[in-house]
Amino acid sequence: MPELPEVEAVCKKLRKEAVGGVIAEAFVLRPGSVKPQYPADLDNAVAKTILKLERRGKNILLHLSGGLALRVHLRMTGNLFIIPDARFHSAQVRVYFRFRDGRGLVFEDTRALGRVTIHEETALDGLMEKIGIEPLSKGFTAAKLQSMAKKSRKPAKIFLMDQQHIAGIGNMYAAEALFRAHINPKQPIQAVTKRKIEALHKAILDVLRKAMKDAVRSYSKPGSYQQMDFAVYCRKAKPCNVCKQAIARIVQGGRSTYYCPACQR
DNA sequence: TCGATCCTGTAG
DNA sequence: CTACAGGATCGA
């Protein structure tokens, strides 16, 4: 489930507990979770201190001493958190680090689609260059969105989910933002009117900020993501809150898209 | 830009 | 049993 707000919530919680931690040992319980690297590469984290933790799009970056950084991507079902004793971790944990003080930094991931990789800081910069603008940053203005939209012929929904344009928006919040802005997900983003692009800009901010509050709240208990009240997402055939028309489900880029055919023309 | 792929779990 | 799940990447 994690999109930007959920990943941000994970980071907030983790930052307090993990920064300053010294890694004593790395354990790869599922080799696939560290691909395309070798499990042994994570051993390079041993004896390093976690200096700083940040989020970039949906990536969690743990900067270590010695010019290295861990990159964690939660994908669909991942979660990253601290446990008091590294020895007592759940069966779903794919990778974990034991701190010198005995605590565990664990990467739990039911579907095992997520990844934990280690990089030289310089190499990481290269990877992160491809990630688009942070939607909650100052630079993300309606004008900026407009200028990006003008250059893309992608359907609006696909455009929003493309991490190279805007970082951190996934399937749920893309659908919700488009609904609020009355934009048809199939419409080429290029062809969306300036007025609607402005509405979309506001919708993105509103949806993400709202979800951020929910996500932070829900993280008092680890392991579960809060869901906001969705207007269209996962509401196939249910009546639209605004016009009572049945919410439609279509497939775009192999993913479900939910929208109101009446409100989003 | 489409489809396959990486995985497991759950709902119908 | 099949369909579907909030993501990203790769090759055709």
Side-chain angles (χ1 to χ4, degrees):
Chain A
M1 15 180 103
E3 299 184 28
L4 185 152
E6 293 79 19
V7 177
E8 182 64 30
V10 169
C11 286
K12 272 201 184 116
K13 187 159 197 295
L14 209 52
R15 195 167 287 125
K16 283 183 253 170
E17 305 170 335
V19 171
V22 182
I23 294 168
E25 203 171 354
F27 300 86
V28 177
L29 307 182
R30 165 78 68 124
S33 295
V34 301
K35 275 182 183 169
Q37 298 179 335
Y38 294 104
D41 289 350
L42 285 192
D43 290 341
N44 293 320
V46 171
K48 304 293 191 292
T49 303
I50 298 171
L51 302 176
K52 193 177 144 198
L53 192 150
E54 64 171 338
R55 180 191 58 75
R56 189 72 181 87
K58 297 173 197 165
N59 294 278
I60 300 169
L61 307 177
L62 298 120
H63 298 281
L64 308 178
S65 54
L68 293 172
L70 290 168
R71 173 202 191 196
V72 179
H73 200 301
L74 305 176
R75 291 282 182 97
M76 306 280 234
T77 55
N79 201 356
L80 186 70
F81 52 93
I82 296 278
I83 54 173
D85 188 327
R87 291 172 297 176
F88 306 124
H89 51 79
S90 81
Q92 312 279 52
V93 167
R94 310 302 185 191
V95 177
Y96 71 98
F97 300 92
R98 179 172 56 80
F99 284 179
R100 196 177 276 171
D101 63 13
R103 288 180 302 153
L105 170 62
V106 303
F107 174 66
E108 200 179 66
D109 187 15
T110 304
R111 281 176 69 183
L113 294 169
R115 291 292 182 270
V116 178
T117 49
I118 191 162
H119 310 265
E120 302 278 350
E121 288 285 0
T122 47
L124 189 69
D125 289 344
L127 286 174
M128 292 302 121
E129 266 172 27
K130 294 178 195 154
I131 310 278
I133 188 165
E134 286 290 333
L136 297 179
S137 72
K138 236 183 156 186
F140 184 67
T141 59
K144 172 71 181 168
L145 181 59
Q146 171 78 8
S147 85
M148 288 192 292
K150 266 192 294 192
K151 293 176 208 142
S152 173
R153 288 183 303 276
K154 291 190 164 101
K157 164 90 170 344
I158 305 279
F159 171 83
L160 284 183
M161 288 180 61
D162 187 337
Q163 303 301 302
Q164 301 198 38
H165 290 125
I166 306 169
I169 299 177
N171 206 28
M172 319 185 285
Y173 301 130
E176 293 300 305
L178 289 171
F179 173 76
R180 291 190 186 206
H182 305 287
I183 296 168
N184 188 302
K186 289 180 284 192
Q187 175 162 38
I189 193 74
Q190 215 170 35
V192 176
T193 62
K194 190 175 175 217
R195 181 186 276 292
K196 282 196 176 181
I197 291 289
E198 282 163 5
L200 179 60
H201 174 258
K202 181 177 187 307
I204 290 169
L205 296 186
D206 288 350
V207 164
L208 292 181
R209 285 189 184 133
K210 164 82 167 65
M212 194 92 85
K213 282 185 204 159
D214 293 348
V216 168
R217 245 202 311 278
S218 77
Y219 267 83
S220 44
K221 47 170 184 166
S224 67
Y225 299 99
Q226 174 85 21
Q227 307 224 340
M228 63 190 287
D229 251 347
F230 293 115
V232 288
Y233 178 71
C234 260
R235 295 195 65 238
K236 181 185 174 184
K238 299 216 169 86
C240 169
N241 295 334
V242 175
C243 75
K244 307 299 169 203
Q245 266 252 334
I247 300 301
R249 175 186 177 270
I250 59 170
V251 175
Q252 289 182 288
R255 314 290 307 280
S256 294
T257 296
Y258 300 88
Y259 72 108
C260 173
C263 294
Q264 297 170 261
R265 299 192 165 279

